């Protein structure tokens, strides 16, 4: 069984995320998602999520491509996650291009960056919603 892992906040969940998860799953048979906790988002990414970790986890677990959701508590857990979950392939959107190449040296995992879905982002959604409200 080929195991794939990816990480993110996934808030607000949109089709760009789904496109990423779909393509990540195509690289194996089992997809693990490291979901950023509320504390990690706030303390490390400066992001206040709209949905709590539990709600974002519920959403991700409902996606057909996702097999397991684990908490992402910090930047430094990827090596141990890859080892503990016997991951073969690490996937991220190419806005992270190059940032995680070290994982290929520190683990046996292949590192793959996939093109983002260009026209959609959570900030774009928020901007559009603000425009359309009176
Ligand atoms: N993504 C995408 N297309 C978009 C938006 C996002 O392909 N239009 C991808 C991102 O490239 C990322 C994943 O969807 O691979 C999750 O995006 P975010 O929730 O924004 O993740 P991020 O905050 O970048 O956190 O340790 C890694 C971090 O947790 C990644």
């Amino acid at each position: 069984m080929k195991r794939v892992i990816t990480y993110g906040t996934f808030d607000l969940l949109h089709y760009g995320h789904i496109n990423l998860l779909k393509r990540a799953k195509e690289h194996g048979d089992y997809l693990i998602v490291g979901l950023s906790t509320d504390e990690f988002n706030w303390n490390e990414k400066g992001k206040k999520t709209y949905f709590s970790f539990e709600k974002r986890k519920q959403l991700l677990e409902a996606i057909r491509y996702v097999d397991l959701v684990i908490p992402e508590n910090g930047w430094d857990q990827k090596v141990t996650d890859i080892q503990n979950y016997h991951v073969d392939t690490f996937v991220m959107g190419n806005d992270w291009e190059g940032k995680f190449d070290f994982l290929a040296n520190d683990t046996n995992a292949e590192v793959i960056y996939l093109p983002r879905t260009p026209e959609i982002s959570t900030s774009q959604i928020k901007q559009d919603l603000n425009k359309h409200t009176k």
Side-chain angles (χ1 to χ4, degrees):
M1 174 191 287
K2 262 199 91 182
R3 301 159 80 90
V4 184
I5 197 165
T6 190
Y7 294 81
T9 300
F10 297 98
D11 182 72
L12 296 166
L13 186 68
H14 54 65
Y15 67 88
H17 298 130
I18 303 299
N19 286 343
L20 190 282
L21 295 169
K22 180 176 188 294
R23 286 173 293 151
K25 182 60 174 281
E26 287 164 2
H27 285 272
D29 317 287
Y30 189 88
L31 175 61
I32 301 165
V33 178
L35 181 62
S36 309
T37 60
D38 297 335
E39 298 74 17
F40 177 46
N41 274 304
W42 183 242
N43 298 332
E44 298 295 327
K45 298 187 191 177
K47 283 185 181 180
K48 176 102 182 65
T49 56
Y50 183 80
F51 288 122
S52 67
F53 174 82
E54 283 311 318
K55 293 278 186 293
R56 290 181 287 120
K57 182 171 184 281
Q58 182 187 358
L59 286 163
L60 282 175
E61 287 172 342
I63 298 170
R64 68 176 65 197
Y65 311 117
V66 176
D67 296 288
L68 176 67
V69 179
I70 62 172
E72 180 187 30
N73 297 296
W75 296 112
D76 304 329
Q77 68 185 71
K78 295 182 176 67
V79 171
T80 45
D81 285 347
I82 287 169
Q83 290 164 344
N84 294 345
Y85 289 96
H86 312 291
V87 168
D88 303 285
T89 305
F90 169 92
V91 172
M92 285 302 292
N94 64 359
D95 47 318
W96 291 92
E97 186 83 33
K99 298 285 192 307
F100 299 114
D101 292 354
F102 69 90
L103 291 172
N105 304 322
D106 296 2
T107 72
N108 296 325
E110 179 189 17
V111 174
I112 293 178
Y113 301 99
L114 297 173
R116 278 173 68 93
T117 303
E119 76 281 358
I120 182 80
S121 67
T122 302
S123 39
Q124 185 66 54
I125 294 169
K126 288 176 183 169
Q127 269 172 33
D128 291 353
L129 284 174
N130 285 335
K131 255 192 298 188
H132 297 157
T133 47
K134 290 274 173 283

